[in-house]
Amino acid sequence: MATLSTPHSIHISDITCDSFRIAWAMNQGDLDRVSHYFIDLNKKENKNSNKFKHRDVPTKLVAKAVPLPMTVRGHWFLSPRTEYTVAVQTAVKQSDGEYTVSGWSETVEFCTGDYAKEHVQQLQEKAELIAGRMLPLTVFYRNQHKEYFQHIRMQCGNKMQPYVKDNSGSHGSPVSGTLRGIFFSCNTEFNTGQPPQDSPYGRLRFQIPAPRLFNNNSNLYFADLYCMYTAYHYVVLVLAPKGSPGDLFCQERLPLLDISANRFLTCSMENGELVYRHAQDAILEVIYTEPVDLAVGELGEISGHQLMSLSTANAKKDPSCKACNISVGR
């Protein structure tokens, strides 16, 4: 049987967090002959070439020839935001079950995408099952070290500046490494109704009245749900003034919450006053997307411990937790 031409000009398109489309060029005379495609996909960090022979199909994809481009989905648990390499080989299955194969194409690289908004919506639905009843709050707070607040006063005109969110949480979160904001907490202790006196982030605490950040001119977005191999879960919310750059960023990527009626953090008018509540059974991480002047709040020292083990800085999500993972790319 005549040899097959080597596929070339690989083209990757329509990349999502767990799928992609692939096409390539081959000689015109091969189009009617080719019966199967062999696709070799590896994470980029795997430096060892691991080309497979057609008998070694358990670790690679063998697909019947279909018109190109071909969608690859479900054959691997592709991870979001992950760099991969891919190469292809074409084949003709013979009557004895053996294959005549082409040479391997060039290897190309691509990176999978973030979760789409519908995937974040799935995380939101899981988070709503965890949230629990709502408890009142009056302030948002942010703990940091003395050096941080000294820097804000001396170098930033007394205003805390938004910074790029770290990579904690879901690997596919569209806000990690992209959204700029300031991290605030709002959970209270059940028995006192006040913020806890312990914190992993520093002994100085900046407290700001809730209406200063969250009011009817605010949009609230659900961003993420994760745990760190623990029984309790973290919910990431984004709080952005309407029309601000952070608000525009979130509109395309995150589910918008009704500020007066959601399972995580609410602001509603009762008896002529704004009343605030937070979910009892989730630890809320609230990202505010605009600068905040220290003059509009109070700075003081907490009396509890600095529990470094509870820090979520660049925390890795437990990929095996059934309560906070979804079935798309991980």
Side-chain angles (χ1 to χ4, degrees), residues 215-236:
N215 51 58
N216 290 327
N217 292 318
S218 308
N219 275 333
L220 183 67
Y221 297 90
F222 178 89
D224 199 8
L225 167 69
Y226 70 99
C227 71
M228 300 183 297
Y229 303 88
T230 56
Y232 47 88
H233 283 81
Y234 295 85
V235 168
V236 182

Side-chain angles (χ1 to χ4, degrees), residues 33-49:
R33 301 173 55 212
V34 169
S35 63
H36 289 79
Y37 305 144
F38 299 161
I39 299 179
D40 182 20
L41 182 75
N42 294 285
K43 287 188 177 181
K44 187 177 177 181
E45 57 263 31
N46 181 7
K47 302 300 183 182
N48 298 322
S49 177

Side-chain angles (χ1 to χ4, degrees), residues 13 41 51 80 86 141 175 242 244 248-249 263 277 283-284 305 313 326:
S13 62
L41 182 75
K51 295 294 186 290
V86 64
Y141 55 95
V175 301
K242 291 180 180 178
S244 66
L248 299 177
F249 176 94
R263 298 297 306 276
R277 293 184 174 87
I283 300 175
L284 301 185
H305 301 286
I326 54 179

Side-chain angles (χ1 to χ4, degrees), residues 120-134 222 224-225 233-235 237 255-258 261-265 279 281-282 323-324:
V120 184
Q121 177 72 48
Q122 293 177 36
L123 286 173
Q124 177 187 329
E125 292 168 359
K126 283 181 167 283
E128 288 172 347
L129 299 176
I130 294 170
R133 69 170 179 163
M134 305 292 283
F222 178 89
D224 199 8
L225 167 69
H233 283 81
Y234 295 85
V235 168
L237 305 174
L256 177 67
L257 299 174
D258 182 339
N262 67 78
R263 298 297 306 276
F264 311 112
L265 178 65
D281 295 332
C324 64

